[in-house]
Amino acid sequence: MGAHITGSGVSLPPAIVTNDDLATIMDTSDEWIAKRSGVRQRHIAAPGVGSAQLGAEAVTAALDNAGIDPSSVDAIVSATMTPDHYAPGNAPLIQDRAGLGSIAAFEIRQQCGGFLYGLDMADMLIATERAETVVVVGAEAHRGYMPYGDSLDILLGTSTAEPTPEDTERANESRAWSVLFGDAGAAMVLQPGTPETGVLGSTLHSDGSLFDLIHVPAPGFVHTYWSTTEQIDAGLHNPQMNGAELFRQAVRLMPDSVRTVLDRTGYSLDDVELIIAHQANQRILDGIAKQLGVAPGIVASNIAMYGNTTAATLPLLFHDCKNDGRVSEDTLLAFTAFGAGAHWGALLYREPATTAAS
Ligand SMILES: CC(C)(COP(=O)(O)OP(=O)(O)OC[C@H]1O[C@@H](n2cnc3c(N)ncnc32)[C@H](O)[C@@H]1OP(=O)(O)O)[C@@H](O)C(=O)NCCC(=O)NCCS
């Protein structure tokens, strides 16, 4: 009995940073970013706003959308790669701030694959009757990774100063990855469904031998002292990314997963009306369409508006597709994601009749 998504909600920080804004603090251009990645703008959380706040706001919006009282939620699964604090993670903070009561709060760490894993986990909790109402939330405040120094205030419109040469140099060192990401929270409410609708099947994978394609080397307890100024001076607290190899793996593994889940559930690509894929690069999305031999329009995209919002991406895109009518009664859609770990997979879902858009 596949779980139904009975509500979705998002929280987007109000500050929008365009590619032209970024070009005022580093050597880049709208043309380079848009052509290489498809990103035109991203939301950036203000200083003091963390992913737990964005996540809690998204959970509240999703529960409102589903018409569910917070006291009725049995479990929450929180996915993030940018928690407010290294410990205890975001799950209990979101549980508390969204007023969910002392329910089980799971924290999972699959980065761009996080929401997909969370969705499957919620389906398992419901299928095994361990829970009836589960909230899955993905939320990110990548701002904390952006090595922009005081130039952050210029981007957020709170300073009219000129960037310092030191800040420009640091921003330039990060430009291959920092321009790709954006901040957001997004959540779904999952409840018991029917055999014909809701979650129909899934396939999840991980391969730790690929961990260095994108990882954050420090802080971490493998180091004698888990956090040092030397690590920060060396930039080890920033993501280290092999963009070209990540690109290659993403274009291979997301289509493979979609094919696997279709095989497992007895459907074919001709049945799939929409693919909700992780939004890391428009060229990856185009590559997925090409690999699968489906029309590009089947692979939904909102990367131009938000950039890569890591664990928030899938629910944010689902919410947008629901609101613009691309997900309606009986739509058969495939979720798929690939991200740091590496973790990847796909999940097949048929939209039931009665769920609401906001
Ligand atoms: C990161 C990515 C957009 C880079 O695109 P690309 O076409 O491979 O570009 P390259 O890295 O080869 O860089 C090409 C040139 O642009 C420059 N460049 C990099 N970032 C730039 C920026 N923001 N603005 C302008 N120029 C930039 C590089 O320095 C390089 O210059 P050079 O040729 O003089 O050395 C692309 O590889 C990608 O999207 N990979 C996947 C990333 C991903 O999935 N990340 C998240 C995983 S969960």
Side-chain angles (χ1 to χ4, degrees), residues 7-353:
S8 60
V10 306
S11 171
L12 290 162
I16 294 175
V17 172
T18 65
N19 294 343
D20 285 335
D21 294 332
L22 286 176
T24 66
I25 67 150
M26 67 172 81
D27 297 330
T28 192
S29 64
D30 177 49
E31 191 197 355
W32 192 96
I33 301 172
K35 191 168 158 210
R36 300 288 180 129
S37 72
V39 181
R40 305 306 296 244
Q41 63 173 46
R42 71 287 294 142
H43 292 249
I44 301 286
V49 174
S51 53
Q53 178 177 329
L54 298 174
E57 289 168 1
V59 167
T60 299
L63 289 170
D64 276 357
N65 184 235
I68 304 267
D69 192 86
S71 62
S72 304
V73 177
D74 300 310
I76 177 171
V77 184
S78 160
T80 186
M81 73 172 285
T82 54
D84 280 17
H85 307 287
Y86 188 88
N90 274 2
L93 302 182
I94 296 176
Q95 168 272 324
D96 179 43
R97 290 180 194 181
L100 301 187
S102 57
I103 56 169
F106 298 93
E107 178 88 353
I108 61 168
R109 294 282 307 273
Q110 275 77 21
Q111 294 64 242
C112 297
F115 199 88
L116 186 77
Y117 267 67
L119 205 49
D120 203 37
M121 202 171 153
D123 184 54
M124 286 188 270
L125 286 168
I126 290 168
T128 54
E129 299 185 359
R130 301 293 289 271
E132 271 206 4
T133 301
V134 182
V135 174
V136 188
V137 56
E140 306 290 354
H142 295 107
R143 180 211 57 240
Y145 277 138
M146 304 302 172
Y148 299 158
D150 291 340
S151 294
L152 179 68
D153 297 326
I154 302 171
L155 286 183
L156 296 177
T158 52
S159 165
T160 53
E162 288 295 312
T164 65
E166 296 75 31
D167 284 346
T168 303
E169 191 185 331
R170 264 204 310 274
N172 279 341
E173 283 167 9
S174 76
R175 68 179 182 168
W177 57 268
S178 67
V179 302
L180 303 174
F181 292 93
D183 298 339
M188 290 179 182
V189 180
L190 278 292
Q191 295 187 295
T194 67
E196 300 80 27
T197 57
V199 178
L200 302 176
S202 69
T203 180
L204 297 181
H205 305 272
S206 300
D207 182 354
S209 72
L210 300 177
F211 94 99
D212 58 357
L213 292 186
I214 180 166
H215 74 299
V216 181
F221 291 94
V222 69
H223 305 289
T224 308
Y225 296 103
W226 82 291
S227 170
T228 65
T229 50
E230 288 78 16
Q231 293 164 351
I232 291 175
D233 290 345
L236 300 182
H237 59 300
N238 292 324
Q240 323 281 309
M241 183 174 93
N242 176 347
E245 185 56 19
L246 264 179
F247 192 103
R248 209 177 65 78
Q249 296 289 353
V251 169
R252 183 172 71 87
L253 294 170
M254 283 191 276
D256 277 3
S257 305
V258 171
R259 287 186 196 280
T260 302
V261 79
L262 290 171
D263 282 351
R264 280 188 186 171
T265 49
Y267 288 89
S268 82
L269 275 167
D270 291 339
D271 300 318
V272 176
E273 295 159 87
L274 191 66
I275 296 177
I276 295 195
H278 180 61
Q279 309 278 296
N281 189 315
Q282 183 59 46
R283 291 186 296 138
I284 293 177
L285 301 175
D286 296 343
I288 292 172
K290 195 167 164 208
Q291 287 281 331
L292 291 174
V294 299
I298 297 279
V299 183
S301 175
N302 62 5
I303 190 170
M305 305 282 292
Y306 309 116
N308 181 352
T309 58
T310 303
T313 300
L314 294 188
L316 178 57
L317 183 54
F318 175 85
H319 188 78
D320 279 1
C321 288
K322 189 98 199 249
N323 282 333
D324 70 18
R326 296 193 67 193
V327 175
S328 58
E329 181 176 347
D330 270 345
T331 304
L332 186 72
L333 62 99
F335 291 98
T336 184
F338 171 81
H343 301 287
W344 70 95
L347 182 144
L348 195 66
Y349 183 81
R350 187 177 299 279
E351 177 72 359

